[in-house]
Amino acid sequence: MYHSMARKLLKSMLLCGILSAAAFAPAAARAAELLMFERDGCVWCARWDREIGPIYPKTDEARLLPLRRINIDRDKAADLGLASPVRFTPTFVVIDKGREVGRITGYINDDAFWGLLGILVAKIAPSPHPNHTERGLAQRKAS
C-alpha cells in the first residue's frame, strides 16, 4: 500500500514539474536534451527500447528533453558537457545549457525510469503546481 502511494506521489510530482516547465520555460526546453548512451548488444538498452522507446516521443518529457542517442562503441561524441565519462549502458544524461544536470545509470523498469527522470526534470524546470496531477501519466499509459 505504501509503495503504491509513494509511486503515485512521485509520478504526480514528476508531472507537475514537466507541465510547469512546458508552460513557463520554453527557452529552457530548447536548450535541454536527454542523451541516451547505448551500445550494440545491450539487453537493458533493448528493454528500454521496448518499454519506453515507443512512448517517450509522445510525452511532455520529450518536449522538454528531446532524446539524442549515442552509441559509445561507434560514436565519438564531441564535448557534451559531461561531468564524468560514461562507462555503462544505458546511461541517460540530462544536459542543459551545455552542462550535465544529472544522470541515470542503467535501466530497471519504467516506474524507476520515470521517477528518476522526474527528479532530473525538477532540476531544470520551475517549481511544480499542486493542481497538476495524473494527467500526463494517463497520457503516457494511454499511448
Side-chain angles (χ1 to χ4, degrees):
M1 178 173 141
Y2 292 111
H3 177 353
S4 175
M5 289 173 30
R7 188 180 335 157
K8 286 182 181 179
L9 178 62
L10 185 59
K11 287 178 183 177
S12 294
M13 290 171 37
L14 166 69
L15 294 172
C16 291
I18 291 166
L19 293 173
S20 296
F24 299 109
R30 286 191 295 270
E33 65 182 331
L34 178 64
L35 305 178
M36 178 182 178
F37 291 88
E38 60 188 342
R39 68 170 25 118
D40 296 334
C42 170
V43 296
W44 295 104
C45 300
R47 184 171 176 186
W48 187 92
D49 285 339
R50 281 190 315 273
E51 296 177 2
I52 305 294
I55 299 166
Y56 189 79
K58 302 172 188 174
T59 65
D60 292 331
E61 292 90 342
R63 284 185 280 286
L64 181 65
L65 299 169
L67 180 67
R68 179 166 36 142
R69 300 172 82 112
I70 300 170
N71 185 306
I72 66 172
D73 294 327
R74 289 182 288 174
D75 301 332
K76 298 298 177 202
D79 182 29
L80 298 171
L82 299 178
S84 61
V86 173
R87 302 194 193 292
F88 305 102
T89 59
T91 295
F92 303 89
V93 181
V94 173
I95 299 289
D96 186 32
K97 298 176 185 155
R99 68 174 180 80
E100 180 176 332
V101 173
R103 65 177 63 191
I104 303 167
T105 302
Y107 176 75
I108 299 171
N109 61 38
D110 62 338
D111 285 334
F113 175 79
W114 293 119
L116 293 169
L117 186 60
I119 293 167
L120 298 178
V121 165
K123 291 181 178 184
I124 61 171
S127 60
H129 293 287
N131 61 345
H132 295 142
T133 55
E134 297 285 328
R135 189 169 63 201
L137 175 63
Q139 184 181 39
R140 278 199 297 272
K141 295 293 183 184
S143 300

